[in-house]
């Protein structure tokens, strides 16, 4: 992506055997999403009903999508340059508005949420289009396709913000569905047709690092919330053990994702001749359940810390077992996409969690948390001991 004119100079310059590092501007931008992840987990904690779960799912999908699209654009553009930095700082403002409206997005601040989201998605893509020189036809056409799809979904988001109740929910479900099918549909538009694999080429190591950093954001948010919750409690043997279980569980999740998978993914996408296709599957779609599982586990940790004794209620069971399960499902699919085989340790972990769910109501929240942490430790240790040779291949 050589800089051949002033407008083309906004693109990263990628040389042979050279990997673009994640810039300080990108890391600064990500701080907004620490807040967004916290807002999502707290909203689920306070609205843990079937309808509340649907609401939070829509909001989480929007948060993930606006972040991952920005990761794609900053994979192509150079955040070390002032115009691109200003774009990221403007996106930070939009992200703060988006994050602050999450708890009441289906109540009084729905229009603010919709405006912030639509502006971020459309505005960032328009900037990318205008930053692309005219001679880079494939890239410009790709930007036009994406801008067209996002502009249509923006209408649905704004219409939902203006509506109320079930109408808002259905319009926003339509909007998020439209956006999630768009990469799979390769952003087909009349006359321009489908986007090409070449137009989706990415700097693989950078994309892998960006998504692994979002996993760190989610894990870090969980640890911060657990620490803040624990500090406010009267310390007893039960909640001390619950705190330790939550921390060890987070460490096990980190180990399962980072010990082998993150580096293997970075190497595979860096060497792939179809980096865009792999980035679309492994990093755009399959990282979403990984992050969702961590957020759901954070909800469980707070519930268990505050109420470690007694029988586990439904929301404790769903979050305590469901969080690690969603995480493992996302991780096993991610590693399958980059390695070509299913991770046996992860599959066994999923089965053990399903077995545990049969007995969950008989356990206290504390011991249910301990049991899921032990399962995650088993998965992490198994992968470390047994799969080193397979990973190197």
């Amino acid at each position: 992506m050589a800089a051949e004119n002033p407008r083309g100079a906004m693109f990263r310059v990628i040389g042979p055997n050279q990997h673009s590092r994640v810039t300080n501007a990108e890391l600064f931008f990500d701080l907004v999403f620490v807040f967004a992840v916290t807002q999502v987990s707290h909203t689920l904690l306070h609205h843990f009903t079937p309808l509340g779960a649907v609401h939070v799912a829509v909001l989480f999908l929007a948060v993930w999508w606006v972040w991952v699209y920005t990761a794609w654009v900053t994979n192509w553009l150079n955040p070390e340059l002032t115009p691109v930095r200003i774009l990221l700082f403007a996106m930070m403002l939009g992200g703060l508005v988006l994050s602050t409206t999450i708890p009441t997005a289906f109540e009084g601040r729905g229009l603010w949420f919709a405006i912030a989201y639509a502006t971020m998605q459309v505005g960032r893509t328009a900037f990318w289009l205008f930053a692309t020189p005219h001679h880079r036809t494939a890239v410009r056409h790709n930007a036009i396709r994406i801008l067209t799809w996002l502009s249509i979904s923006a209408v649905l988001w704004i219409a939902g913000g203006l509506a109320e109740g079930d109408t808002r929910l259905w319009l926003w479900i339509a909007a998020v569905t439209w956006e999630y099918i768009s990469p799979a549909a390769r952003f087909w538009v009349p006359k321009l047709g489908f986007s090409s694999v070449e137009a989706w080429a990415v700097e693989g190591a950078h994309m892998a690092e960006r998504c692994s950093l979002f996993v760190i954001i989610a894990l870090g948010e969980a640890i911060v919330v657990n620490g803040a919750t624990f500090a406010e409690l009267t310390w007893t043997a039960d909640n001390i053990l619950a705190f330790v279980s939550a921390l060890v569980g987070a460490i096990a999740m980190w180990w399962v994702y980072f010990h082998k998978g993150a580096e293997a993914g970075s190497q595979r996408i860096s060497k792939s001749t179809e980096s865009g296709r792999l980035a679309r599957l492994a990093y755009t779609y399959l990282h979403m359940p990984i992050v969702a599982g961590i957020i759901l586990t954070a909800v469980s940790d707070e519930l268990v810390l505050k109420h470690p004794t007694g029988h586990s209620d439904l929301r404790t069971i769903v979050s305590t077992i469901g969080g690690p399960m969603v995480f493992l499902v996302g991780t096993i699919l991610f590693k399958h996409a980059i390695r070509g085989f299913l991770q046996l340790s992860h599959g066994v972990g999923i089965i053990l969690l399903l077995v545990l769910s049969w007995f969950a109501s008989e356990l206290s929240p504390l011991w249910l948390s301990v049991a899921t942490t032990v399962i995650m430790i088993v998965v992490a240790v198994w992968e470390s001991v047994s799969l080193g040779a397979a990973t190197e291949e």
Side-chain angles (χ1 to χ4, degrees):
M1 294 184 179
E4 299 174 7
N5 57 46
R7 291 173 72 186
M10 283 197 224
F11 281 75
R12 292 179 184 266
V13 178
I14 308 297
N17 302 316
Q18 174 186 338
H19 299 312
S20 296
R21 67 180 181 85
V22 175
T23 65
N24 291 328
E26 291 170 284
L27 294 173
F28 191 37
F29 166 77
D30 286 352
L31 292 178
V32 171
F33 287 85
V34 177
F35 181 39
V37 168
T38 302
Q39 291 285 77
V40 169
S41 63
H42 282 177
T43 302
L44 179 59
L45 182 65
H46 295 112
H47 299 84
F48 212 118
T49 64
L51 180 60
V54 173
H55 286 177
V56 171
V58 171
L59 299 175
F60 166 71
L61 291 172
V63 167
W64 170 251
W65 218 231
V66 75
W67 181 87
V68 80
Y69 268 45
T70 305
W72 275 87
V73 169
T74 54
N75 186 275
W76 294 319
L77 301 182
N78 184 2
E80 296 285 20
L81 301 177
T82 298
V84 184
R85 283 182 175 177
I86 292 174
L87 168 68
L88 285 176
F89 297 155
M91 292 283 289
M92 289 177 71
L93 175 60
L96 282 172
V97 174
L98 187 80
S99 300
T100 55
T101 58
I102 285 173
T104 55
F106 283 91
E107 298 167 7
R109 293 183 177 175
L111 183 58
W112 281 103
F113 179 90
I115 291 173
Y117 180 83
T119 300
M120 291 173 75
Q121 290 287 69
V122 173
R124 180 205 54 244
T125 310
F127 180 94
W128 171 43
L129 173 60
F130 288 115
T132 304
H134 287 282
H135 69 273
R136 301 187 67 164
T137 306
V139 178
R140 285 186 61 83
H141 285 178
N142 200 32
I144 292 170
R145 291 184 186 96
I146 296 174
L147 184 59
T148 300
W149 280 72
L150 291 179
S151 296
I152 293 171
S153 66
V155 174
L156 294 171
W157 284 107
I158 299 298
L162 292 169
E164 295 181 358
D166 289 345
T167 303
R168 173 177 297 176
L169 175 59
W170 285 112
L171 284 168
W172 283 2
I173 288 175
V176 80
T177 302
W178 177 264
E179 292 194 23
Y180 269 74
I181 66 172
S182 56
R186 289 167 51 195
F187 295 99
W188 180 91
V189 295
K191 295 185 179 180
L192 293 181
F194 297 99
S195 62
S196 64
V197 173
E198 292 76 17
W200 280 91
V202 296
E203 205 289 285
H206 175 268
M207 177 62 73
E209 186 179 359
R210 293 294 287 125
C211 289
S212 66
L213 285 172
F214 202 97
V215 174
I216 289 288
I217 286 174
L219 288 170
E221 183 273 340
I223 291 173
V224 168
V225 170
N226 290 340
T229 302
F230 184 60
E232 295 176 353
L233 298 173
T234 300
W235 292 359
T236 65
D238 286 336
N239 59 36
I240 290 173
L241 181 55
F243 180 70
V244 173
S245 176
L247 178 59
V248 174
I251 293 171
M253 283 183 163
W254 181 94
W255 199 278
V256 168
Y257 177 84
F258 282 97
H259 181 61
K260 299 292 183 182
E263 182 62 26
S266 178
Q267 292 176 2
R268 169 69 190 282
I269 193 173
S270 297
K271 298 175 182 178
S272 175
T273 57
E274 294 187 340
S275 60
R277 191 186 302 277
L278 187 58
R280 181 183 63 182
L281 174 61
Y283 291 98
T284 303
Y285 285 117
L286 296 182
H287 265 65
M288 182 266 295
I290 294 173
V291 175
I294 295 171
I295 292 174
L296 189 55
T297 301
V299 173
S300 162
D301 292 341
E302 190 163 354
L303 288 171
V304 174
L305 277 169
K306 291 180 176 179
H307 306 286
T309 60
H311 287 293
S312 298
D313 60 14
L314 183 60
R315 67 174 183 168
T316 301
I317 294 171
V318 169
S319 58
T320 306
I321 295 179
M325 186 176 297
V326 173
F327 172 83
L328 285 178
V329 168
T331 307
I332 196 173
L333 293 175
F334 164 64
K335 292 181 179 180
H336 179 266
I338 62 174
R339 293 175 176 171
F341 62 88
L342 293 173
Q343 207 83 29
L344 180 59
S345 60
H346 297 35
V348 171
I350 292 168
I351 293 171
L352 290 175
L353 288 169
L354 287 171
V355 172
L356 179 62
S357 66
W358 285 100
F359 310 99
S361 61
E362 302 301 319
L363 299 175
S364 69
L366 171 59
W367 290 110
L368 182 61
S369 172
V370 170
T372 58
T373 295
V374 169
I375 290 171
M376 292 304 298
I377 291 172
V378 168
V379 174
V381 171
W382 187 339
E383 171 153 331
S384 299
V385 172
S386 304
L387 297 178
T391 301
E392 291 175 4
E393 294 176 4

